[in-house]
Every structure is written in C-alpha cells, then in structure tokens.
Amino acid sequence: QVQLEESGGDVVRPGASLRLSCVVSGRSLNTLTMAWFRQAPGKGREFVAAARRRGGSPISANFAKGRFTLSKDNSRNTLNLQMSNLEADDTAVYTCAADVTDLITSRLADQRAYDYWGRGTQVTVSS
C-alpha cells in the first residue's frame, strides 16, 4: 500500500518562495508516476506538475512553467515542488498523487489516472 504525506504549506506574501514535499512510503519513489494537483477555494482540482515513472523531464501546467520546479529525492523517497514568485491565485490545497502505472504523457494531468492520494497541504498567498 502506497502512502503519501505532504508538508511545507504555509502563509506567505506575494513574490515569496515555498517548497512542498511529499514523502512516499510503502513503495520506492522510482517505481511510481508522481504528480501534484491543487484545489483553490470554490474551484475544482487542477493539475500542477508530474514526474514520469520512467524518468525524463517532468511536465507542468502552463501556470507553473518558469515558477514551479518538480524534483525527486530518491534517497529520501520524496517528491519536492519548489515554488517561486507566488501569486494570490496560487492559494490552494496542494495534494500529492501517485500511481504504479508508467502513465503515458496524455494521462499525466488526468487526476483519474492516479490511485493514491495524500491529504494535502495548504498554501496561502496573501499580502
């Protein structure tokens, strides 16, 4: 059974940086497709970024490009999301997701493709 635990959420001002972490237990990180999603108040869950199980460059949503960086720390079995230049619109609950399948590119942003989910961590960007 795969378990995911997020941390790193905080209240920050616009322009600040924050690093979110997702610790994986029950399975090795490099045997999973991993992703971050987020859900803002009153909105549906949306894709942020994903790392393929097979490796290679992560993919990210347009709003994340140039500001958010996804990385794996295999020694700690942890997926990190480094976020910079945060904006008020980034306020959301950020949730880590995983799947044992080596998902094809077209499915990486589809939340229905992921079987395992964390509880999320709150990020609030406010002046």
Side-chain angles (χ1 to χ4, degrees):
Q1 184 77 1
V2 176
Q3 294 184 318
L4 309 174
E5 184 171 358
E6 304 94 335
S7 64
D10 204 348
V11 179
V12 296
R13 294 188 181 277
S17 297
L18 207 56
R19 187 178 79 167
L20 306 183
S21 296
C22 173
V23 177
V24 179
S25 58
R27 196 174 175 108
S28 178
L29 181 65
N30 59 15
T31 67
L32 297 164
T33 298
M34 300 292 301
W36 284 97
F37 289 81
R38 71 181 188 182
Q39 187 166 16
K43 296 185 178 180
R45 184 183 286 164
E46 66 175 344
F47 171 74
V48 178
R52 297 175 176 84
R53 191 183 78 177
R54 76 186 78 131
S57 299
I59 70 163
S60 57
N62 286 336
F63 67 80
K65 292 177 181 177
R67 298 192 302 131
F68 295 3
T69 302
L70 192 66
S71 64
K72 289 183 176 181
D73 183 345
N74 289 320
S75 66
R76 290 183 170 84
N77 227 37
T78 299
L79 181 74
N80 295 312
L81 181 69
Q82 180 68 46
M83 306 186 295
S84 63
N85 196 21
L86 285 163
E87 306 166 353
D89 285 347
D90 295 318
T91 295
V93 175
Y94 286 71
T95 306
C96 182
D99 199 80
V100 300
T101 305
D102 191 9
L103 296 175
I104 59 175
T105 300
S106 62
R107 296 214 70 201
L108 288 171
D110 184 352
Q111 59 182 299
R112 297 170 299 178
Y114 295 86
D115 284 339
Y116 301 98
W117 293 84
R119 293 186 175 185
T121 185
Q122 176 71 47
V123 173
T124 302
V125 185
S126 174
S127 56

